[in-house]
Amino acid sequence: FNEPEDSRAKHKNMSPHEAVEYWRRFVQPAAVELDLALVSPTVSEGLCKQHEYGCQLKGTWYANFLKACWDQREDQEFPCDVEKIAAVSVHLHQCMEDTWTRLFSQ
Protein backbone atom coordinates (compact mmCIF):
# COMPACT_ATOMS: atom_id res chain seq x y z
CA PHE A 1 0.00 0.00 0.00
CA ASN A 2 1.70 3.16 -1.21
CA GLU A 3 0.00 6.28 0.14
CA PRO A 4 -3.51 4.79 0.34
CA GLU A 5 -4.75 8.02 1.96
CA ASP A 6 -3.93 10.03 -1.19
CA SER A 7 -7.19 11.76 -2.07
CA ARG A 8 -5.80 13.04 -5.38
CA ALA A 9 -5.76 9.61 -7.04
CA LYS A 10 -8.81 7.41 -7.70
CA HIS A 11 -6.77 4.21 -7.47
CA LYS A 12 -5.69 5.16 -3.95
CA ASN A 13 -7.94 7.32 -1.77
CA MET A 14 -9.14 4.56 0.54
CA SER A 15 -10.28 4.72 4.10
CA PRO A 16 -8.38 2.81 6.78
CA HIS A 17 -11.34 0.41 7.04
CA GLU A 18 -11.24 -0.33 3.31
CA ALA A 19 -7.47 -0.83 3.46
CA VAL A 20 -7.88 -3.27 6.35
CA GLU A 21 -10.28 -5.35 4.26
CA TYR A 22 -7.64 -5.77 1.54
CA TRP A 23 -4.89 -6.19 4.13
CA ARG A 24 -6.52 -8.99 6.12
CA ARG A 25 -7.93 -10.83 3.09
CA PHE A 26 -4.95 -10.63 0.73
CA VAL A 27 -1.77 -8.94 1.99
CA GLN A 28 -1.42 -10.56 5.40
CA PRO A 29 -2.29 -14.11 4.25
CA ALA A 30 0.17 -13.84 1.33
CA ALA A 31 2.94 -12.64 3.64
CA VAL A 32 2.27 -15.46 6.09
CA GLU A 33 2.17 -18.07 3.32
CA LEU A 34 5.46 -16.83 1.83
CA ASP A 35 7.11 -16.21 5.22
CA LEU A 36 7.60 -12.50 4.48
CA ALA A 37 7.87 -9.66 6.97
CA LEU A 38 4.98 -7.20 6.74
CA VAL A 39 5.60 -3.47 6.39
CA SER A 40 2.75 -1.11 7.16
CA PRO A 41 0.91 0.86 4.49
CA THR A 42 3.06 3.88 3.61
CA VAL A 43 1.45 7.20 4.44
CA SER A 44 2.69 10.55 3.16
CA GLU A 45 2.56 14.15 4.26
CA GLY A 46 -0.01 16.42 2.67
CA LEU A 47 -1.85 13.91 0.48
CA CYS A 48 -4.84 13.27 2.72
CA LYS A 49 -7.41 16.01 2.34
CA GLN A 50 -11.06 16.30 3.36
CA HIS A 51 -11.56 12.77 4.69
CA GLU A 52 -14.01 12.00 7.46
CA TYR A 53 -11.62 9.35 8.81
CA GLY A 54 -8.99 11.83 9.83
CA CYS A 55 -5.91 13.36 8.30
CA GLN A 56 -4.98 16.07 10.78
CA LEU A 57 -1.56 14.55 11.43
CA LYS A 58 0.48 12.14 9.36
CA GLY A 59 -0.18 9.32 11.79
CA THR A 60 -3.98 9.74 11.90
CA TRP A 61 -4.73 7.55 8.89
CA TYR A 62 -2.28 4.90 10.10
CA ALA A 63 -3.65 4.98 13.66
CA ASN A 64 -7.15 4.46 12.28
CA PHE A 65 -5.82 1.60 10.13
CA LEU A 66 -4.33 -0.10 13.21
CA LYS A 67 -7.57 0.31 15.15
CA ALA A 68 -9.64 -1.09 12.28
CA CYS A 69 -7.24 -4.04 12.02
CA TRP A 70 -7.39 -4.62 15.79
CA ASP A 71 -11.18 -4.58 15.60
CA GLN A 72 -11.00 -7.49 13.10
CA ARG A 73 -8.53 -9.55 15.15
CA GLU A 74 -11.08 -12.19 16.10
CA ASP A 75 -12.67 -12.64 12.67
CA GLN A 76 -12.94 -16.38 12.08
CA GLU A 77 -12.10 -16.37 8.37
CA PHE A 78 -9.71 -13.41 7.95
CA PRO A 79 -8.37 -12.18 11.29
CA CYS A 80 -6.23 -9.05 11.13
CA ASP A 81 -3.12 -9.21 13.30
CA VAL A 82 -1.35 -5.92 14.06
CA GLU A 83 1.44 -7.93 15.70
CA LYS A 84 2.45 -9.23 12.27
CA ILE A 85 3.45 -5.73 11.12
CA ALA A 86 7.23 -5.78 11.49
CA ALA A 87 7.97 -2.22 10.34
CA VAL A 88 6.22 1.11 9.85
CA SER A 89 6.69 3.00 6.59
CA VAL A 90 6.18 6.74 5.98
CA HIS A 91 7.10 9.09 3.18
CA LEU A 92 8.48 12.33 4.56
CA HIS A 93 10.75 14.28 2.31
CA GLN A 94 12.19 16.45 5.05
CA CYS A 95 15.09 15.46 7.25
CA MET A 96 14.59 17.99 10.04
CA GLU A 97 13.99 16.77 13.57
CA ASP A 98 11.39 19.44 14.34
CA THR A 99 9.29 18.29 11.37
CA TRP A 100 9.22 14.68 12.60
CA THR A 101 8.50 15.79 16.16
CA ARG A 102 5.62 18.03 15.04
CA LEU A 103 4.03 15.34 12.87
CA PHE A 104 4.44 12.28 15.07
CA SER A 105 4.58 13.35 18.70
CA GLN A 106 0.87 13.85 19.36
Side-chain angles (χ1 to χ4, degrees), residues 2-105:
N2 182 42
E3 301 168 353
E5 82 289 4
D6 186 350
S7 59
R8 303 171 306 165
K10 286 183 181 181
H11 69 285
K12 296 181 180 184
N13 193 19
M14 65 176 64
S15 73
H17 293 286
E18 184 180 5
V20 163
E21 288 305 306
Y22 286 105
W23 185 269
R24 70 189 185 103
R25 292 172 185 270
F26 303 107
V27 177
Q28 182 180 285
V32 169
E33 179 70 24
L34 298 170
D35 196 29
L36 299 173
L38 279 169
V39 177
S40 74
T42 303
V43 295
S44 183
E45 181 178 25
L47 299 179
C48 189
K49 304 283 190 233
Q50 303 171 343
H51 287 311
E52 70 277 5
Y53 40 82
C55 299
Q56 298 79 10
L57 296 170
K58 181 180 281 294
T60 304
W61 188 96
Y62 182 61
N64 288 331
F65 172 85
L66 290 176
K67 181 176 182 330
C69 181
W70 178 260
D71 290 346
Q72 295 295 326
R73 70 190 178 281
E74 294 179 5
D75 183 86
Q76 295 300 309
E77 190 174 7
F78 297 105
C80 194
D81 187 354
V82 296
E83 299 293 329
K84 292 190 182 313
I85 300 173
V88 175
S89 176
V90 295
H91 285 159
L92 182 59
H93 305 285
Q94 299 177 17
C95 295
M96 297 173 286
E97 178 185 358
D98 64 328
T99 300
W100 286 81
T101 302
R102 178 176 47 84
L103 292 172
F104 293 103
S105 65

